Structures are given as C-alpha cells and as structure tokens.
Amino acid sequence: MSDEKIPTRDENAEPKTSGEATEEPDREKKVKVPKLYHNYISLAGGVIAVASLVCIVLLFLIELTSASDQPYLGILIYILGPAVMIFGLIVFAVGLLWERRRRRKMSLEEIAAYPILDLNGPKRRRAFIIFLIASFLFLFASAFGSFRAYEFTESVTFCGEVCHAVMKPEFVAYNASSHANVKCVECHVGGGAEWYLRSKFTGVRQLWGVITDNYNKPIQTPVHNMRPANDTCAKCHWGEKFYGDQLKVFNHYGYDENNSLNQTRMLIKVGGGNPETGQATGIHWHMNLGNEITYGHSDEKRQDITWVQMKNAKGEITQYTPNGAAVNSQQIEKSAKRKMDCIDCHNRPTHVYLSPNQALDDSLTANRIDLSLPFVKARASETLSKPYVTSDEALKSIASDLDSYYKTSHTELYANKRNAINSAIVEVQRIYSTYFFPEMKTDWRAHANNIGHFNAQGCFRCHNGNFASLEDKKIRNDCNICHTTLDQTSGGTRITSKAGEFQHPAKLGDLVNVQCATCHTGNTAFKHPLNLGDISKFECAECHQGNDFKKAVAK
C-alpha cells in the first residue's frame, strides 16, 4: 500500500456550483463587485422605508397608550405612513434597476452575476430564511395596515374630524342628533364596493378642495349623488309598516316679560306606505308602494317646484302644474327632475340646525333656562340672531349682552339671581356652538328643513293650493290632511279648535292665508310681509286683534 494520503472534503466548506470555477486563483485578486443596492437611489429609498416604518411603530404605540382617539394619528399610521414606506420601497427598487442598467455598459467581467439560489450552503440558507421571515412580516403588517386604513376611512372620526374646519358644522350637529350612533358611511356610502370606491374618488376631489382652500361655504346641499333612500334609510326604518297617528306637543314661548307659553297638541297623521298593512293615508301616503311621485325643480336646493307627476298602481299618470297650465312634455323632459323618496321631506335627518326660536323653546321646556328671568327668550333670541364673524366673537358677545342687560335693566334681580343668569348665558352659548358656525356661514337659514312648514316652506312647496292638473284636480293645502289639532293654550288661556284645525293665537285678519314661514323666520328680526320695517320689539297680538289688519296698521 502507498503511503500517499487521500484528499478529504472539508465539511464546513460550501459546495461549489457549476457556475463556480474549481480553481481560479486569479479571481481572488480581482476587486469584488458591490451589490446592486449599493447606489445612492436605493440607499435613499431604504432610508425612507426604514424611517417610515419606525415612525409607524412609534405612532402605533402612542395610539395604543392614548386615552382618546386622535384622528390625525390614524391618518399618519394607517394612510400616510404606509404610503411613504411603499414609496421608499419603490425608490429602492428603481435604484436597483437603474444600477443594473448602468452596469450593462461595463465589460462582461465587471457586471455582477445574478444571485444563485443554492440552499446547500449555510450562509445562503440563513439569508433565504431571513428573507422569507421578513417578507411574511411585511405582508402581515401591510395587510393589517390596509385593513386598519379601510376601517379608519369608514369611521366617524375620519369623516368628521380630519377636515376639522370644513366638517365641523356637520360633525357637531351630527353628535346632537337622533342618529348620533349611526356611522356616517351608513347613509353617505352604504354597502358594496361600487359605492365605497365612488365615495373615495369623490373624497379625493373634496380633499383637493380643502388643500387648495377651494370649497363652498356653507357646504352645498342636497347631496346630488346620494345613494337612494331604499338602500340606506330603509335598512333601519320599515317604510311598509302602518304607523297611524302620533301625538306631538309643540311648545313655543313668547317674547313678553313672562316668556308666556303657547302650547299646541296635535295628532300627526304619519300614515303608512303599504295598503296591505293598513289604509294608505296620511303623510306616508307619499311613500305608498303603489305610488310613484316625480317632481321638477328650478333650483339646486329643490325648494322651487315647477311641476309634479303622480303615477298610481294602475299606471295612470296625473301631472300638476302651477294654476293647471298646459303641460309641455319637452320642457318637462329637459328640466331637472327627481323621483320622490324619504330624503325629500326628511332632508335634515341628522345634520339639523335649529333656529334661535326653536332651540330656545327646547331649552326652556327642558328647564335649562330659568323661565322667571324676564324677557330671557327675547334677549337670548336677539343676541343669537346677530351677525358674527367668528364663533369666539359670538360667545363673548352673548355673555356680554345678557349680563349687561340684566345688570342695567333689572338691577335687583341681577343681584339675587346671578347663578340663574350665568346658567342662561352658558346655555345660550351652548346653543350657538351647536347650531351656528359663522366661519362656514352655516345655520338654519343655510339649510332649510322640509319637515313641516314652520321656518321653511317644507310641505307648502307642493301643497300651496297652486298646483292643478288639466282635469282640474288640485294638490290640496288642507291642514287636516297631515294633522289634527287636539288642544291649544296661549298664555294660560285655552283656545278651542274648530274641526281639528289650528287656530293662530293672534287674529291675523287679512294675513290668515299667508304661509307660516313668511313671518316665522326663526328669529325675532323678521321682515313683515307688509314691509313694516323692524317690528321685532312688538308682539303680533298688539296689531292682530281680529279686525282688518291694514286698517289696524293705518291707525
């Protein structure tokens, strides 16, 4: 046997692949070609991605430990942060491609070889495992972040507080409404990917308007691309159910020294929409499943109705025009039209802005303002109705006006009822902060409420006695169609009702057929239909005594 040793394999050495030379002593002497990511573009992209990831983690920890929701944190964590990180990764990849393209201009010996995936070598195996773990973590974080971003954009916080200055009126009024526990998207978006994408594309345009300070003040309503009411309202409200009559009590306080209560108790004929569950009468007759009502309008707010069309269950069509004028089918076809649904009457289901009158009536009824304070309704309504530039200016003026009035005009009461006066000031300031937004020019005058007809035309848009068909059918303006008056009291005196009709506390004389909203403008400083100037310091009954009104004014 020969004493020559047989060469053995080094177990720790990495196996050589077919692409590697078994013996190439000159290769070790060559300069090692750097990796593709060794360039300034990829370096910048990597820094951006890592920095944004660190920020996301830190902000996420801040959100977890924060006691209250911070809308801007949500924007940074789930939308802006991931967007910046993805941008950094894209820059990193662009750097790789750019570097690869640059090296193609070099000689073949200078071009770095593509990485070889050979898991037999421990070094490559560890690198591959690290790559898989990092990829899994990144995908998991991306999926979680995407879901949280989607969830956040569907939240009330995102809708109401991210664009704080613009959406403040809607957000504050929403929180004061009966729908405060219903998410914004339930009505403004609804279910389904189509409407979600449509709303987000619209949101991009609105976001650009906010960034460029190019948006309407106040925000324009109605929303013309709103989802149909059957896809939103009907998810909670059963339009087919017969509801019958509902008792409603209206409390109105006077501008006199005693803040006298005028109370009206009515049965509101809500009615139903489906003949199978009851007689289809009352207000919800408009939503009878057998009826289809379409109307035309000449303005964006749908307040000026130009014609009405009613199609019954048999398919019979009746068209109503002002004073029964002949119907021009071409004009009707070209005019702005809408099929009537819930939103045409319930046009302020959530974002309700009460007038000074109504807001103060509610506060006085709830005893949030002391009724024993003389002229408190008149003085509070007057200071609420003043024009202000900012909310801060309004709140200071309210406090100053009410305090100085009682201090100078009711000195003894001011000394004895300071707490009641201060409480009244706080309540009036709360009313202003809830329903008045001068920076956005938003209040009850900017957004008319079509329910009823007290401070806006509402029902009288159509039920004004002027619409008739060629067959001389009329859209009735009989009050008893929608409600029956049970009882009225004015200043402690009961007013008997005739056949369930409402009796005005003041004898209106020649103005008995004038629509309510003509005089009831929501505050004290209204313009009288006979152009009498500012008569806000007078009570209606001082002139309206049942005789001819014009003669009374002349005297």
Side-chain angles (χ1 to χ4, degrees), residues 178-433:
S178 57
H179 286 92
N181 287 330
V182 179
K183 289 184 177 181
C184 309
V185 294
E186 296 292 334
C187 297
H188 287 275
V189 181
E194 176 188 353
W195 284 92
Y196 175 80
L197 292 175
R198 184 182 300 184
S199 68
K200 298 313 169 190
F201 280 124
T202 303
V204 171
R205 176 177 54 81
Q206 295 168 346
L207 178 61
W208 178 250
V210 173
I211 294 173
T212 58
D213 196 27
N214 181 24
Y215 53 88
N216 293 318
K217 297 180 182 181
I219 291 177
Q220 296 300 300
T221 56
V223 181
H224 291 281
N225 60 348
M226 195 79 167
R227 194 166 189 161
N230 286 336
D231 294 343
T232 53
C233 307
K235 297 298 182 181
C236 299
H237 301 279
W238 188 10
E240 299 180 9
K241 184 175 175 60
F242 181 76
Y243 291 98
D245 298 342
Q246 302 290 320
L247 176 64
K248 177 74 174 179
V249 179
F250 298 91
N251 292 322
H252 300 294
Y253 295 86
Y255 294 105
D256 58 341
E257 181 176 3
N258 298 321
N259 310 298
S260 302
L261 173 64
N262 297 313
Q263 189 176 76
T264 303
R265 287 167 287 278
M266 285 184 174
L267 278 181
I268 308 299
K269 300 177 181 179
V270 178
N274 188 353
E276 295 181 1
T277 57
Q279 187 179 4
T281 60
I283 299 169
H284 279 168
W285 172 89
H286 298 84
M287 302 312 300
N288 185 341
L289 300 183
N291 295 334
E292 182 181 303
I293 299 176
T294 307
Y295 66 88
H297 55 92
S298 59
D299 65 323
E300 289 294 317
K301 292 184 176 295
R302 303 172 185 160
Q303 297 297 304
D304 297 325
I305 308 301
T306 55
W307 56 268
V308 180
Q309 174 180 290
M310 199 276 282
K311 180 179 179 181
N312 62 21
K314 297 179 181 180
E316 299 171 341
I317 296 177
T318 305
Q319 292 179 327
Y320 299 87
T321 57
N323 302 316
V327 178
N328 188 325
S329 58
Q330 291 183 347
Q331 291 179 349
I332 289 179
E333 186 64 29
K334 293 180 180 179
S335 65
K337 62 180 70 68
R338 173 176 167 81
K339 180 180 176 182
M340 190 174 184
D341 65 14
C342 312
I343 300 299
D344 290 288
C345 293
H346 298 274
N347 67 317
R348 309 304 305 173
T350 298
H351 309 291
V352 182
Y353 304 99
L354 299 182
S355 68
N357 238 336
Q358 188 175 351
L360 289 168
D361 285 340
D362 291 347
S363 293
L364 288 165
T365 300
N367 293 321
R368 291 195 291 264
I369 297 178
D370 192 343
L371 268 172
S372 66
L373 295 176
F375 296 105
V376 67
K377 169 75 179 291
R379 304 305 301 185
S381 179
E382 181 179 350
T383 190
L384 282 172
S385 302
K386 287 182 178 181
Y388 299 105
V389 177
T390 65
S391 296
D392 290 340
E393 175 193 352
L395 298 181
K396 292 176 182 178
S397 179
I398 289 170
S400 175
D401 289 351
L402 293 179
D403 186 80
S404 61
Y405 169 72
Y406 287 105
K407 187 176 183 178
T408 56
S409 301
H410 302 274
T411 306
E412 184 177 348
L413 180 139
Y414 183 79
N416 297 329
K417 287 204 168 187
R418 286 293 300 277
N419 290 336
I421 294 171
N422 290 336
S423 296
I425 291 173
V426 172
E427 177 61 16
V428 176
Q429 289 176 326
R430 183 200 66 82
I431 289 174
Y432 193 91
S433 298

Side-chain angles (χ1 to χ4, degrees), residues 6 41 161 246 297 301 441 494:
I6 300 174
I41 297 177
E161 294 189 78
Q246 302 290 320
H297 55 92
K301 292 184 176 295
K441 301 178 181 179
R494 182 177 179 182

Side-chain angles (χ1 to χ4, degrees), residues 32-69:
K32 186 177 182 181
V33 178
K35 301 294 184 182
L36 286 177
Y37 55 80
H38 287 182
N39 64 83
Y40 289 112
I41 297 177
S42 294
L43 179 61
V47 170
I48 293 173
V50 172
S52 62
L53 179 61
V54 172
C55 291
I56 290 171
V57 173
L58 291 177
L59 291 173
F60 183 71
L61 293 176
I62 292 174
E63 185 190 42
L64 289 178
T65 56
S66 178
S68 59
D69 290 335

